[in-house]
Amino acid sequence: MEKNIGNLDKIIRVLVGLVLIALVFVGPQTAWGWIGVPVILIAFFGWCPLYKVLGVSTCKRCES
């Protein structure tokens, strides 16, 4: 798995994931907030399957 997520993309994904998880506890309290878990895992591994399918990469160091 070649990394295809850059640092800024990782930070944004972690923040979005944490907000989604927080919704489980303080928001409408539905299971939809758990979508944040795979978002954080994708950021942790630095590889996005959707980016791979679309041929997109936000990782500058990975492209060279």
Side-chain angles (χ1 to χ4, degrees):
M1 287 188 316
E2 184 178 325
K3 295 186 183 235
N4 59 5
I5 298 176
N7 289 333
L8 180 62
D9 198 356
K10 285 182 185 180
I11 292 169
I12 292 170
R13 286 174 187 264
V14 169
L15 291 175
V16 169
L18 290 174
V19 168
L20 288 171
I21 292 171
L23 288 175
V24 172
F25 301 105
V26 296
Q29 298 180 346
T30 63
W32 285 101
W34 291 111
I35 293 173
V37 174
V39 172
I40 292 174
L41 288 175
I42 288 170
F44 176 73
F45 289 112
W47 184 77
C48 177
L50 183 61
Y51 278 11
K52 179 71 174 175
V53 170
L54 297 175
V56 176
S57 176
T58 59
C59 183
K60 300 287 186 237
R61 288 182 292 150
C62 305
E63 292 175 353
S64 56

